[in-house]
Amino acid sequence: MNDLEKLVVLADPLESNAPPPSGTGVYNLKDSPYYADNTWMSDVTEIIQQAIDDASAAGGGVVYVPAGVYKVKDILFMKSNVTLYLQGGAVIKSNPDRSLYKYTTSREGKIFIDPMIRIDHAPNAKILGRGVLDASGIAIMDKNSASPTYLGYRRNVIVGNFSNHVTIEGIIIKDSTTWTINGIQGGEGFTVRYVKIINHKNPYQYKIMNDGIDLCGTRNALAENNFVMTVDDALCAKSTKNHFPMYNVRFRNNIVFSSCAGLKAGLQSLSPMYDVWFEDNDVIQARRGIVVEATSGNQQMHDIHFVNTRVESFVFTSMGRSIPVEIEARTAPVSDVYIDGVLFERSAYNPIHIYGSSNTNAVKNVTFTGLNMCGEVLADTAEAWIIEGNYTAGVCVTSRSDKGL
């Protein structure tokens, strides 16, 4: 309204399983021997890590973070069977002083600093509660357009590898400047539930790759009942790990606000990816509503489902004009994509785009069922305003589902 800042109201039910602040197996940061400062006056990274290590040494436990603001800089390493619990009112916040951080440069020339939290080889690790993880990402990022590190010093919040049955639930995550949740590569049973992500969202100011929830190189994974507000892609399934087929991945009952893709499978396809479901998701804003793209890696993507999706509005950015659905097979084949019961409340600038790049890397068997464009349910491809590029086959539009979905 009137170009004012958007108001986001987030409400959770009362916690029913919050751990006690003290007792056997509880490591309270305000108790002996930790006495962590919760006024953000001094760095407590080592203290929090010590509590995690102590819980791990005992075979597992709860690191209890009471209300207050805790200053951190270096990575916190989660351990097996340890729960990091953030009480409501607790904030773990990165020090915004860029000069304190060392950076690494990716092959693409992008400049990153270490994530806030790593979950590596840590099965059954959990991050729970009603508190906040704040990356201070925009404050840390180099915003001087004349600087050689412009838009550098970007920070993830949570990155994980080779850890099974990891859970992130209930917390608020703020101000990530690259993929916010990235994991769990090489792991199974990853769950992200009731998480609220609020990142920088203005693509005209800083177009940064601050994806919301990226289920990367994982399987038997679930992201449900989350809220994501960010510039870059909101919810993604990415096959980012070689020799690790990715399957049984579900995104359901999420609400997202993005200036890139709302719901996306790809762009990485380093291993086969299939049995991926986006169900009952609400896209408030996106440049591209639904995306399936294989543009990095040569392994097949297939059996991808989008069920009961609402896309409310579109946005134009420096990345291009709006597209309701885009399916691209540039480096790997894409097949058996089912888009059932999608409602686009407003028109996009461009039509639906579907295209391959070769006989090998083609798009095959895409079915739209109940495709609702601005209140009109479309019955065939002639009505649906679809551009089929080269190397596509089996694109079908029907007004009803024969699958009972």
Side-chain angles (χ1 to χ4, degrees), residues 55-56 59-61 78-82 121-125:
S56 177
M78 291 297 294
K79 300 293 180 68
S80 302
N81 304 309
V82 173
H121 302 281
N124 305 309

Side-chain angles (χ1 to χ4, degrees), residues 253-318:
N253 296 315
N254 302 288
I255 300 173
V256 303
F257 180 104
S258 166
S259 293
C260 288
L263 312 176
K264 178 177 172 181
L267 50 87
Q268 293 82 353
S269 56
L270 303 187
S271 291
M273 179 165 67
Y274 55 93
D275 190 21
V276 176
W277 291 76
F278 295 81
E279 304 167 276
D280 302 305
N281 295 294
D282 206 11
V283 180
I284 305 302
Q285 174 187 288
R287 186 182 75 82
R288 300 188 293 171
I290 291 173
V291 179
V292 180
E293 61 182 1
T295 57
S296 176
N298 61 8
Q299 297 299 301
Q300 184 180 22
M301 297 172 57
H302 66 103
D303 194 23
I304 313 294
H305 301 255
F306 299 86
V307 180
N308 297 334
T309 305
R310 185 182 78 98
V311 180
E312 181 176 312
S313 63
F314 292 100
V315 64
F316 166 78
T317 74
S318 61

